[in-house]
């Protein structure tokens, strides 16, 4: 009897797990959109004007990200999409980081970029992107971008399959929080003095 029950139940469990994985991401909503209560909704609610600052503006002196995500654009709630414009001055990087809730599709619209990500087997995938190229960073994996050109800036537009993809910056998470210096020293097989020196250097860039 137990064997017969297992043959019936286990496929349903496997299917349920598959569905859970396949549908992981922003929750579905039961309305066309989500809007604040007691607010008159018109076309302005669905319009984001925050990117206008890019028009005619000079390149920034540091790596800069301009987001159109849930925090900046509340109309995105429940829509499972967001955008970011990334500006890379000559020689700048977007340090290793992850987006825990979404994959990232990056489209180069100016210059060129060296990009890469590391999978769960610690294999590194890299590519040099030219103007017009698109690259996908799989959900949750550590990745980076680098403008290796020492003279010209670069720019890219990224789309995410979540209104709130989240960003975990490895340098900030490891060295800009309250993780004990001794733990970090053991993890990186170095001494506490080296960890403290790294923290002091990196704090000047945050």
């Amino acid at each position: 009897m137990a064997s017969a029950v297992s043959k019936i139940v286990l496929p349903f469990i496997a299917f349920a797990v598959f569905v859970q994985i396949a549908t992981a991401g922003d929750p579905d909503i039961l309305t066309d959109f989500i809007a604040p209560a007691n607010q008159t909704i018109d076309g302005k609610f669905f319009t984001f004007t925050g990117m206008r600052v890019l028009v005619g503006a000079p390149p920034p002196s540091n790596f800069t990200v301009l987001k159109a995500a849930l925090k900046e654009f509340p109309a995105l709630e429940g829509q499972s999409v967001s955008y970011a414009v990334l500006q890379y001055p000559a020689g700048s990087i977007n340090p290793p980081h992850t987006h825990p809730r979404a994959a990232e599709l990056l489209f180069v619209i100016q210059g060129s970029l060296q990009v890469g990500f590391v999978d769960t087997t610690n294999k590194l995938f890299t590519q040099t992107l030219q103007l017009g190229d698109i690259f996908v960073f799989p959900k949750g994996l550590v990745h980076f971008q680098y403008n290796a050109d020492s003279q010209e800036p670069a720019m890219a537009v990224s789309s995410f399959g979540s209104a709130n993809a989240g960003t975990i910056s490895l340098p900030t998470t490891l060295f800009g929080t309250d993780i004990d210096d001794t733990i970090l020293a053991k993890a990186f097989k170095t001494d506490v003095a080296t960890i403290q020196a790294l923290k002091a250097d990196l704090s000047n860039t945050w």
Side-chain angles (χ1 to χ4, degrees):
M1 176 64 73
S3 177
V5 171
S6 296
K7 289 181 179 179
I8 296 173
V9 173
L10 289 178
F12 280 101
I13 294 175
F15 177 73
V17 171
F18 171 78
V19 170
Q20 182 66 31
I21 293 172
T23 58
D26 290 2
D28 288 333
I29 59 176
L30 301 177
T31 56
D32 295 334
F33 53 85
I34 298 175
N38 303 318
Q39 180 175 327
T40 300
I41 301 300
D42 56 20
K44 291 181 180 179
F45 177 72
F46 302 98
T47 304
F48 181 72
T49 61
M51 300 297 182
R52 292 180 182 178
V53 297
L54 296 170
V55 180
S61 56
N62 298 307
F63 170 71
T64 302
V65 180
L66 191 59
K67 297 180 180 179
L70 181 61
K71 180 180 178 181
E72 298 80 15
F73 192 10
L76 296 181
E77 184 172 4
Q79 303 303 319
S80 300
V81 66
S82 58
Y83 276 85
V85 174
L86 302 94
Q87 296 176 279
Y88 311 82
S92 66
I93 65 166
N94 185 2
H97 62 283
T98 72
H99 302 294
R101 292 183 286 275
E104 175 181 358
L105 198 62
L106 181 138
F107 176 34
V108 179
I109 61 173
Q110 180 184 359
S112 64
L113 290 171
Q114 293 183 11
V115 303
F117 69 86
V118 180
D119 71 7
T120 55
T121 68
N122 290 326
K123 181 176 180 180
L124 174 65
F125 298 83
T126 61
Q127 182 65 29
T128 299
L129 303 181
Q130 304 299 331
L131 180 66
D133 289 348
I134 294 176
F135 191 87
V136 62
F137 299 103
K139 178 180 177 179
L141 298 185
V142 174
H143 60 282
F144 62 88
Q145 300 107 35
Y146 171 42
N147 178 10
D149 193 314
S150 61
Q151 302 294 325
E152 298 297 328
M155 184 182 297
V157 176
S158 284
S159 61
F160 302 90
S162 169
N164 185 20
T167 299
I168 300 174
S169 170
L170 270 62
T172 303
T173 299
L174 291 171
F175 299 105
T177 58
D178 294 327
I179 298 176
D180 187 86
D181 291 347
T182 301
I183 294 174
L184 291 173
K186 289 181 178 295
F188 287 95
K189 294 180 170 42
T190 185
D191 52 64
V192 169
T194 300
I195 295 298
Q196 292 175 342
L198 281 170
K199 286 186 173 181
D201 289 341
L202 289 169
S203 66
N204 295 325
T205 66
W206 297 331

